[in-house]
Amino acid sequence: MRVIGIDPGLRRTGWGVVDVEGTRVRHVANGVCQSEGDDLATRLLSLFVALTAVVAAQRPEAAAVEQTFVNKDAAGTLKLGQARAVALIVPAQAGLPVAEYAPNAVKKVVVGVGHAEKAQVEHMVKLQLPGVKLAGPDATDALAIALCHAHHARFQGRLAAAIAGIRA
């Protein structure tokens, strides 16, 4: 299964793609979509176009998007929510199932600690994806989101198999 993780942001939206085969996870690609334009609508459109091109090129089978956290700046949170909508719509438009994960859940799966620092997340992403060249902090976070989804998908697969075994 090929998974794209997306870390939404109005200026930079990170993306990371991994292939999951059983218990093995392999890095495919990662990068950042930079928004362009002076007004909000143009910036959101540029993110939409760029992320659509990434999904078309990478052909993932599932997507995972980081949930928005609320910060002190309500206007900033609202704008981040609009960028997050782009991150949800693009894979949905491509017909992909889209999962959502809280930042602390991603850190807990990847690092083992829900309040891990960015440096710890980067270290663990590099450890789990040997030889990966990271395109920046946003791409690192996106790969962590993809790894989180890969972990949850494996668990769901084992759970479904166990339930099927009980019913048989």
Side-chain angles (χ1 to χ4, degrees):
M1 168 178 64
R2 181 165 283 191
V3 178
I4 185 168
I6 303 171
D7 180 34
L10 188 56
R11 295 190 193 288
R12 291 175 306 280
T13 291
W15 59 271
V17 180
V18 297
D19 279 340
V20 183
E21 298 170 16
T23 59
R24 296 176 63 191
V25 179
R26 183 179 61 82
H27 173 258
V28 176
N30 70 91
V32 177
C33 299
Q34 296 267 113
S35 67
E36 298 174 0
D38 295 327
D39 62 86
L40 180 61
T42 304
R43 290 168 67 190
L44 290 170
L45 177 60
S46 70
L47 288 176
F48 179 85
V49 169
L51 194 54
T52 298
V54 169
V55 169
Q58 298 299 325
R59 299 193 330 250
E61 299 165 67
V65 178
E66 189 171 69
Q67 291 176 339
T68 302
F69 60 91
V70 178
N71 57 31
K72 296 175 186 173
D73 177 18
T77 301
L78 183 58
K79 288 177 183 175
L80 177 59
Q82 292 167 332
R84 191 169 171 277
V86 169
L88 292 167
I89 290 169
V90 169
Q93 183 181 37
L96 305 178
V98 181
E100 301 176 68
Y101 297 99
N104 285 351
V106 173
K107 291 174 183 177
K108 182 91 170 169
V109 168
V110 175
V111 179
V113 179
H115 294 286
E117 299 293 324
K118 284 211 174 271
Q120 291 173 297
V121 173
E122 179 180 337
H123 175 75
M124 292 306 292
V125 166
K126 286 180 176 178
L127 195 63
Q128 293 179 49
L129 302 172
V132 67
K133 301 274 192 281
L134 299 170
D138 300 300
T140 302
D141 289 348
L143 282 170
I145 295 160
L147 288 169
C148 178
H149 185 70
H151 172 77
H152 281 277
R154 282 195 309 264
F155 176 75
Q156 287 176 333
R158 286 192 301 245
L159 181 61
I163 291 171
I166 291 170
R167 291 185 179 156

